[in-house]
Amino acid sequence: MLEKIDLTKKMGKKEYKEVMEGLTAELSELQRECRNEKIPVMIVFEGLGAAGKGTLINQLIQSLDPRGFHVHAINGESEEEKLRPFLWRFWTKTPEKGRIAIFDRSWYRKVLIDRFEGITPEEELEKAYQEINNFEETLSEGGTAILKFFLYITKEEQKKRFERLRDSKETAWRVSEGDLKRNKHYKKYLQMNEEMLQKTDTDYAPWNIIEAMDREFATVKIITVVVECLKEALENKKRAAQKADKDAKLDENAQVNGKSAAILKSSMLSQVDLSLSYSKEEYKEKLDALQKKISLLHSALYKKRIPVVLAFEGWDAGGKGGAIKRLTSHMDPRGYMVNPTAAPNDIENAHHYLWRFWQTVPKAGHIAIYDRTWYGRVMVERIEGFCTTEEWQRAYKEINQFEENLYNAGAIVLKFWMHIDKEEQERRFKERQGNPAKQWKITDEDWRNREKWDLYEKAVDEMLIRTSTTYAPWIIVEGNDKYYARVKVLQEVVDALEKRLK
Amino acid sequence: MLEKIDLTKKMGKKEYKEVMEGLTAELSELQRECRNEKIPVMIVFEGLGAAGKGTLINQLIQSLDPRGFHVHAINGESEEEKLRPFLWRFWTKTPEKGRIAIFDRSWYRKVLIDRFEGITPEEELEKAYQEINNFEETLSEGGTAILKFFLYITKEEQKKRFERLRDSKETAWRVSEGDLKRNKHYKKYLQMNEEMLQKTDTDYAPWNIIEAMDREFATVKIITVVVECLKEALENKKRAAQKADKDAKLDENAQVNGKSAAILKSSMLSQVDLSLSYSKEEYKEKLDALQKKISLLHSALYKKRIPVVLAFEGWDAGGKGGAIKRLTSHMDPRGYMVNPTAAPNDIENAHHYLWRFWQTVPKAGHIAIYDRTWYGRVMVERIEGFCTTEEWQRAYKEINQFEENLYNAGAIVLKFWMHIDKEEQERRFKERQGNPAKQWKITDEDWRNREKWDLYEKAVDEMLIRTSTTYAPWIIVEGNDKYYARVKVLQEVVDALEKRLK
């Protein structure tokens, strides 16, 4: 993509001044419109050293309202970041709806500088490109406008700029050994950039090559592209809103037609043997042995820096809480965290639905337990209409990719569906209502959800089928007998940890 | 405080079981009540190595709803943390209203392990104790319940426990060289703990010594203390609410009486010479020279790792935005951040009012610019009644301590009051309304605030007097002439940076 670029382009000061006046006013206005329309925007600056990323970003933000953007300078990974999946630090920096996140270098470090330095092994490259493309696609489909700039200068110009920086005492420190090495091996490094551009130039997040020899020209080109892209994003948003209206109407019809089809489908869940049980003695004995094992395994996986994700879903009163309690009661609290998932708050709602789960992704060596999870997207959000049909249908792929990211970072990922039948649920609801210490656990909403049992059953069935993967399997837990269910959860965790630690 | 402690206390298994059943039910209930009453709770675990912090914290959290607490394990400072004021990582971890933050080691590391290791120089100890006490007092006065546990075992017991851990392959790594050293020099290290306990045992955050030889006894004592403290916190909350009602009534009376007194007071602001101005030529020349200087100074302070805080307050349309723009237009965006302060969002409202400003405290070598600041507490919040009289009166001290924390961490702290007179404000408001590109800048609220000019003048006057300190001076900027104001801001920043860099 780079060979066809004409690096001699320039712009005179006078022309620059005239063009900029109109452009910056337009940009200011567009930022306000995007804020009103709640469009999140990500602007990525990549390119060669001394191509002027800092100066050009500063030019760009001069026309922006500081209440609406944030500049992230992406250096090498910190200790904290090294302990988590590669995309963690970028997911957690994705902007709120209506805000702009500007990246001075970005997730592309991994396939550029870090590759050049040998920090990213060659065999991880394909996986990295894949993860990057999935990341951008997921965000783009979620409504984020993604703009990517690649700043391009010649080897000679780069050398000249480095020399000028090194000539002054105040700026000499800005030129690193790595910079000089990349200038020396300009061609080799450029080749890596070329490969990156080709592999990640997509329809949802295309690259813009910026001829960065002349600052005025580059500034105008960047701001022009930003202006065009924000206009397009506003158009897309409008179209998407119209489409959602239309889809909602289609959905209503489909639901009527879909009902008989649902009955024809046999449910995975109907095959579960809910008669499985343990006596109190069996339970105590097994529990005791498993808890002791877990305690030692927890210690061992901390030492080996293996991250673990345990996701719990299931019917209301299905025994998630009780199972989690037995699982953690002999663990070291410094090494695990229970993350309960309630309805999203303001801030969470202003981000992509996966954003809040990225926040709590475990560090290497730690266990993250989720009491309800990202699967809310394809269950409660689907059934209550909190997201569009298109959105929850897309979510299976997004969730699989999310879990694959965890797996690629070395994590053990297990997902438990705590299964009970409708009669057992009623028994437990009534028991809770009758017990003053447990009354707070049961609300009118629980009873309302119960009425939608059949809809949920269909959604769960589809979820289990579409998201059971080799890297993140679903484990259905026969839950009518609490003793049996708790032991099964612990046993599955022990088995998975032992298998990995061997 | 330690010498009187009887370390032979024990509890039988049977008694333990009986007592615990009642205690844990009570604790669960109290957690729910504290959540309903929106009381934030911080529980600190300090003490000797192998005293059982991990196990005891796990015992405690078994009775807690995981939706309501978070365990923070406090290790040595990370690179990111080292670049910020000592309390930054703790302020950012203070819990939301209604939630519990549990600290496995805490800010006391600085005066214990880090002191023992020589990481904290002896001459910094007094300052550290002072900052710690101020931190706890500020939070406590803001309504946080603070519980501190010190786990105590004998030298022999500690040695035995270390040996037991080292005997097993799975647990040997848990005993560090530092642990063994502290056991060897038990007496010396205990003396440091004793000093820490004495210096930080306060009425607002007292220490609880836990005899940790017997796990059952320690568990019961800890949970009992937590139960008692939460009960007390609920009582305090109730009393505070009653007091606030009473105070509000007193305030109404006071305001009537206070009016004449306000007129008698001569305002600091009335002495400001608003006729100061520059011609366009003078302005351009000075601005150009100063911007070039700032750019070089910015680079130099990055290299020397000096953090800078620039706080902007002033009348609406006082020229904050324009001054900030001229200040930053030649800076490297990787080294500065403009933090605009709007009305707090949900999450910010659920914390201490200083919490959100701690989030954006600059790293060493970076410049944080605040467009409106923590001074909202003693201006808009005071005048609009968003906080009680007691709260804004207390805020002067809290704000001074906050800025002192920044100063102690090496920061340059400058505060600008952008001053214009009432006539100039009217002129600017009208100009904005007449200009389509600026209309969005002016709202009905601005006109409403203008009506409260006299009240604000009084509040500003008091603020300037009470919070002008040697370590964080206020600079009043004569703002009727925009050129003069912008040059003055830049000049003051240049002067302060040059002074420090010399």
Side-chain angles (χ1 to χ4, degrees):
Chain A
M1 289 173 69
L2 294 172
E3 60 178 23
K4 295 274 186 303
I5 303 295
D6 171 10
L7 284 180
T8 64
K9 288 178 188 163
K10 267 184 201 296
M11 181 173 272
K13 292 259 176 198
K14 198 167 154 250
E15 189 188 353
Y16 172 73
K17 252 193 142 174
E18 282 167 17
V19 178
M20 278 295 277
E21 206 161 312
L23 268 181
T24 54
E26 203 173 356
L27 179 55
S28 291
E29 177 55 28
L30 282 166
Q31 185 194 6
R32 283 193 292 280
E33 282 181 41
C34 286
R35 184 165 56 200
N36 292 341
E37 293 296 325
K38 298 196 187 308
I39 298 172
V41 180
M42 288 167 84
I43 306 180
V44 170
F45 283 83
E46 285 289 346
L48 302 174
K53 281 191 297 295
T55 313
L56 292 166
I57 290 173
N58 212 37
Q59 290 289 94
L60 173 65
I61 64 182
Q62 292 303 312
S63 340
L64 297 176
D65 181 341
R67 270 162 293 203
F69 73 84
H70 194 112
V71 179
H72 300 280
I74 303 300
N75 299 311
E77 285 185 327
S78 71
E79 303 153 56
E80 275 292 300
E81 288 160 350
K82 277 186 198 135
L83 294 174
R84 292 191 171 84
F86 147 55
L87 286 170
W88 175 71
R89 62 168 167 159
F90 304 109
W91 260 103
T92 53
K93 291 181 179 68
T94 56
E96 275 182 32
K97 286 169 189 164
R99 293 183 56 90
I100 302 175
I102 297 169
F103 291 87
D104 180 344
R105 299 209 177 277
S106 65
W107 40 98
Y108 288 101
R109 260 197 97 91
K110 177 140 181 158
V111 294
L112 297 176
I113 294 188
D114 289 354
R115 175 186 180 184
F116 185 80
E117 300 286 345
I119 296 166
T120 308
E122 288 293 314
E123 64 270 23
E124 281 185 20
L125 277 174
E126 282 307 317
K127 218 162 63 184
Y129 286 130
Q130 195 56 49
E131 289 194 349
I132 286 171
N133 284 336
N134 291 344
F135 172 58
E136 293 179 355
E137 189 179 14
T138 295
L139 289 171
S140 165
E141 288 186 332
T144 302
I146 303 175
L147 286 77
K148 304 190 295 193
F149 292 105
F150 184 85
L151 311 190
Y152 185 27
I153 53 176
T154 61
K155 181 175 182 176
E156 294 67 37
E157 176 71 13
Q158 189 183 46
K159 201 172 169 199
K160 224 163 61 193
R161 292 188 185 184
F162 283 154
E163 275 164 9
R164 214 178 311 138
L165 286 168
R166 278 154 62 92
D167 278 350
S168 154
K169 199 175 66 194
E170 280 92 357
T171 54
W173 59 273
R174 285 168 172 254
V175 184
S176 68
E177 285 302 312
D179 284 328
L180 297 176
K181 213 170 99 193
R182 283 187 294 274
N183 180 258
K184 196 173 158 201
H185 303 282
Y186 180 90
K187 214 171 147 189
K188 183 182 162 200
Y189 186 56
L190 200 69
Q191 185 49 41
M192 291 181 180
N193 282 274
E194 175 71 34
E195 180 186 308
M196 175 282 282
L197 290 168
Q198 288 173 17
K199 295 244 181 200
T200 60
D201 188 50
T202 57
D203 55 332
Y204 43 85
W207 278 103
N208 301 285
I209 314 286
I210 302 295
E211 303 82 346
M213 303 288 279
D214 179 68
R215 203 187 74 177
E216 279 74 23
F217 178 84
T219 304
V220 167
K221 181 159 177 186
I222 287 169
I223 300 187
T224 306
V225 172
V226 174
V227 163
E228 292 309 317
C229 286
L230 295 188
K231 277 186 192 164
E232 202 187 312
L234 284 161
E235 267 306 308
N236 288 343
K237 177 91 184 189
K238 222 180 280 172
R239 269 200 302 275
Q242 289 162 352
K243 194 169 171 306
D245 281 353
K246 224 190 287 170
D247 285 356
K249 275 178 209 135
L250 287 174
D251 274 9
E252 279 170 35
N253 300 333
Q255 261 187 7
V256 179
N257 300 330
K259 265 190 186 152
S260 58
I263 294 164
L264 284 176
K265 242 188 213 161
S266 90
S267 158
M268 263 183 89
L269 293 174
S270 60
Q271 299 153 24
V272 177
D273 179 3
L274 286 173
S275 70
L276 294 168
S277 70
Y278 285 130
S279 69
K280 191 162 186 177
E281 288 66 43
E282 282 176 305
Y283 167 64
K284 278 205 156 172
E285 195 182 313
K286 284 177 193 287
L287 186 71
D288 197 48
L290 286 166
Q291 285 181 330
K292 281 196 183 118
K293 269 192 187 167
I294 289 257
S295 175
L296 286 179
L297 288 166
H298 190 199
S299 201
L301 69 89
Y302 182 82
K303 200 178 155 196
K304 293 213 173 164
R305 295 286 193 196
I306 300 167
V308 179
V309 174
L310 304 176
F312 285 83
E313 288 287 354
W315 298 105
D316 287 334
K320 291 189 298 296
I324 292 172
K325 200 161 229 170
R326 271 56 178 201
L327 185 62
T328 60
S329 71
H330 285 56
M331 285 184 186
D332 184 326
R334 289 163 284 203
Y336 78 88
M337 176 93 67
V338 179
N339 303 298
T341 302
N345 65 27
D346 276 14
I347 307 292
E348 290 163 348
N349 254 331
H351 285 94
H352 193 278
Y353 76 94
L354 284 173
W355 176 81
R356 63 167 161 159
F357 302 107
W358 272 100
Q359 306 293 320
T360 48
V361 149
K363 285 203 266 199
H366 288 244
I367 301 179
I369 298 168
Y370 293 87
D371 184 348
R372 300 212 176 281
T373 67
W374 41 96
Y375 285 98
R377 189 71 164 182
V378 294
M379 294 200 290
V380 58
E381 292 193 38
R382 164 184 179 172
I383 286 165
E384 300 292 341
F386 297 154
C387 63
T388 67
T389 305
E390 208 179 336
E391 282 172 334
W392 65 255
Q393 284 179 343
R394 203 169 58 217
Y396 298 117
K397 178 192 71 185
E398 291 166 349
I399 285 173
N400 284 339
Q401 285 171 356
F402 168 54
E403 292 172 357
E404 199 178 2
N405 280 330
L406 300 173
Y407 173 79
N408 285 344
I412 298 171
V413 184
L414 299 179
K415 303 176 300 201
F416 294 95
W417 175 260
M418 305 300 287
H419 192 54
I420 53 175
D421 60 30
K422 220 176 160 179
E423 293 68 41
E424 178 64 19
Q425 190 188 52
E426 188 175 5
R427 214 189 51 68
R428 292 189 185 179
F429 276 13
K430 286 188 173 155
E431 188 201 317
R432 285 180 178 183
Q433 276 184 324
N435 181 341
K438 286 187 175 176
Q439 272 165 5
W440 62 274
K441 278 187 161 186
I442 177 113
T443 65
D444 289 350
E445 208 189 318
D446 293 325
W447 287 103
R448 273 197 302 277
N449 286 339
R450 187 175 152 76
E451 283 166 22
K452 296 176 183 161
W453 183 283
D454 293 346
L455 284 175
Y456 271 100
E457 194 164 43
K458 187 182 154 200
V460 170
D461 212 51
E462 190 168 355
M463 169 187 91
L464 292 173
I465 291 166
R466 287 186 187 277
T467 60
S468 261
T469 56
T470 49
Y471 46 85
W474 273 106
I475 295 153
I476 299 178
V477 179
E478 299 82 353
N480 271 18
D481 180 68
K482 284 185 179 179
Y483 293 159
Y484 183 85
R486 291 170 189 168
V487 168
K488 175 155 179 182
V489 168
L490 263 86
Q491 186 68 58
E492 291 280 351
V493 174
V494 164
D495 288 350
L497 300 189
E498 277 182 343
K499 194 173 150 203
R500 173 67 72 86
L501 286 164
K502 240 167 225 163
Chain B
M1 290 176 67
L2 294 172
E3 61 179 22
K4 295 275 186 302
I5 303 296
D6 171 11
L7 284 179
T8 64
K9 288 178 189 166
K10 266 184 201 293
M11 182 173 270
K13 292 258 175 198
K14 200 167 154 251
E15 189 188 353
Y16 172 73
K17 252 195 142 173
E18 281 167 18
V19 177
M20 279 294 278
E21 205 162 314
L23 269 181
T24 54
E26 204 173 356
L27 179 56
S28 291
E29 177 55 28
L30 282 165
Q31 185 194 7
R32 283 193 292 280
E33 283 180 40
C34 286
R35 184 164 57 200
N36 292 341
E37 293 296 325
K38 298 197 187 307
I39 299 173
V41 179
M42 288 167 84
I43 307 181
V44 170
F45 283 84
E46 286 289 347
L48 302 175
K53 282 191 295 297
T55 313
L56 291 165
I57 290 174
N58 213 35
Q59 291 288 96
L60 172 65
I61 64 182
Q62 292 303 311
S63 341
L64 297 176
D65 181 341
R67 269 164 294 204
F69 73 85
H70 195 112
V71 178
H72 300 280
I74 303 300
N75 300 311
E77 285 184 328
S78 72
E79 302 154 54
E80 275 291 300
E81 288 159 352
K82 277 186 197 133
L83 294 173
R84 293 193 172 80
F86 148 55
L87 287 170
W88 175 72
R89 62 167 166 161
F90 304 110
W91 260 104
T92 52
K93 291 181 180 68
T94 55
E96 274 182 33
K97 286 170 189 164
R99 293 183 56 90
I100 302 175
I102 298 170
F103 290 88
D104 180 342
R105 300 210 178 276
S106 66
W107 39 98
Y108 288 101
R109 260 197 96 92
K110 176 139 181 157
V111 293
L112 296 176
I113 294 188
D114 289 356
R115 175 185 182 185
F116 185 81
E117 299 286 345
I119 296 167
T120 308
E122 288 292 315
E123 64 271 22
E124 281 185 21
L125 277 174
E126 282 307 318
K127 218 161 63 184
Y129 286 131
Q130 195 56 48
E131 290 194 348
I132 286 171
N133 283 336
N134 291 345
F135 172 58
E136 293 179 354
E137 189 180 14
T138 295
L139 289 171
S140 164
E141 287 185 332
T144 302
I146 303 176
L147 286 77
K148 302 191 296 194
F149 291 106
F150 183 86
L151 311 191
Y152 186 27
I153 53 174
T154 61
K155 181 175 184 177
E156 295 67 37
E157 176 71 14
Q158 189 183 44
K159 200 169 171 202
K160 223 163 63 191
R161 292 188 185 183
F162 282 153
E163 276 164 8
R164 216 178 309 138
L165 285 168
R166 280 154 62 91
D167 278 350
S168 153
K169 198 175 67 192
E170 281 91 355
T171 55
W173 59 274
R174 286 167 171 255
V175 184
S176 69
E177 285 303 313
D179 284 328
L180 296 176
K181 213 170 101 195
R182 284 187 293 276
N183 180 258
K184 198 175 156 199
H185 303 282
Y186 180 89
K187 214 172 148 189
K188 183 181 161 201
Y189 186 57
L190 199 70
Q191 185 47 42
M192 292 182 179
N193 281 275
E194 176 70 35
E195 181 187 308
M196 175 282 281
L197 290 169
Q198 287 172 17
K199 293 244 182 201
T200 59
D201 188 49
T202 57
D203 55 333
Y204 43 85
W207 278 103
N208 300 285
I209 315 286
I210 302 295
E211 302 82 345
M213 303 287 280
D214 179 68
R215 202 186 77 176
E216 279 74 23
F217 178 84
T219 303
V220 167
K221 181 158 177 186
I222 287 169
I223 299 188
T224 306
V225 171
V226 173
V227 163
E228 291 309 318
C229 286
L230 294 188
K231 276 186 192 163
E232 203 186 310
L234 284 161
E235 268 306 308
N236 288 344
K237 177 92 185 188
K238 222 181 280 171
R239 269 199 302 275
Q242 288 163 353
K243 194 169 170 311
D245 280 352
K246 225 191 285 171
D247 285 356
K249 274 179 209 131
L250 288 172
D251 274 7
E252 280 171 35
N253 301 332
Q255 260 186 7
V256 179
N257 300 330
K259 265 190 186 153
S260 57
I263 294 163
L264 285 176
K265 243 188 212 158
S266 90
S267 158
M268 264 183 88
L269 293 175
S270 60
Q271 299 153 26
V272 177
D273 179 3
L274 286 174
S275 71
L276 294 169
S277 70
Y278 285 131
S279 70
K280 190 161 186 179
E281 289 65 42
E282 283 176 303
Y283 168 65
K284 278 205 158 171
E285 195 183 313
K286 283 178 194 286
L287 187 71
D288 196 48
L290 285 166
Q291 285 181 330
K292 281 197 184 116
K293 268 193 189 166
I294 289 256
S295 175
L296 287 179
L297 288 167
H298 190 200
S299 201
L301 71 89
Y302 182 82
K303 200 179 154 195
K304 293 214 173 162
R305 295 284 192 197
I306 299 168
V308 179
V309 173
L310 304 175
F312 286 83
E313 287 287 353
W315 298 105
D316 287 334
K320 291 189 298 297
I324 292 171
K325 200 162 230 170
R326 273 44 174 213
L327 184 63
T328 60
S329 72
H330 286 55
M331 286 184 186
D332 184 328
R334 289 163 284 202
Y336 78 89
M337 176 93 68
V338 179
N339 304 298
T341 302
N345 65 27
D346 278 15
I347 308 292
E348 290 162 351
N349 254 331
H351 285 94
H352 192 277
Y353 75 96
L354 285 173
W355 176 81
R356 62 166 162 161
F357 301 106
W358 272 100
Q359 306 293 319
T360 49
V361 149
K363 284 202 268 198
H366 288 244
I367 301 179
I369 297 168
Y370 292 87
D371 184 348
R372 300 210 178 280
T373 67
W374 40 97
Y375 285 97
R377 188 73 164 182
V378 294
M379 294 200 290
V380 57
E381 291 194 39
R382 165 184 178 172
I383 285 165
E384 300 292 340
F386 296 155
C387 62
T388 67
T389 305
E390 206 179 337
E391 281 171 333
W392 65 255
Q393 284 179 344
R394 201 168 61 216
Y396 298 116
K397 178 191 70 183
E398 291 165 349
I399 285 173
N400 284 339
Q401 285 170 357
F402 168 53
E403 292 171 357
E404 199 177 2
N405 279 330
L406 300 173
Y407 172 79
N408 285 344
I412 297 171
V413 183
L414 299 178
K415 303 176 301 199
F416 295 95
W417 175 258
M418 304 300 287
H419 191 53
I420 53 175
D421 59 30
K422 219 175 160 181
E423 293 67 41
E424 178 64 18
Q425 189 187 52
E426 189 175 5
R427 215 189 50 68
R428 294 188 185 180
F429 277 12
K430 286 187 174 157
E431 188 201 317
R432 286 181 178 184
Q433 276 184 323
N435 181 343
K438 286 188 175 175
Q439 272 166 5
W440 62 274
K441 276 187 162 187
I442 177 111
T443 65
D444 291 350
E445 209 190 319
D446 293 324
W447 287 103
R448 273 197 302 277
N449 285 340
R450 188 176 150 75
E451 282 165 24
K452 296 179 184 161
W453 184 284
D454 292 347
L455 284 175
Y456 271 100
E457 194 163 44
K458 187 182 154 199
V460 170
D461 213 49
E462 188 168 356
M463 170 187 91
L464 293 173
I465 292 166
R466 288 186 186 275
T467 60
S468 263
T469 56
T470 49
Y471 47 83
W474 273 106
I475 296 154
I476 299 179
V477 179
E478 299 81 354
N480 271 17
D481 181 68
K482 284 186 180 178
Y483 293 158
Y484 183 85
R486 291 169 189 169
V487 168
K488 176 155 178 180
V489 168
L490 262 86
Q491 188 67 57
E492 291 279 353
V493 174
V494 164
D495 290 351
L497 300 190
E498 278 182 343
K499 194 173 151 201
R500 171 66 72 86
L501 285 164
K502 239 166 225 164

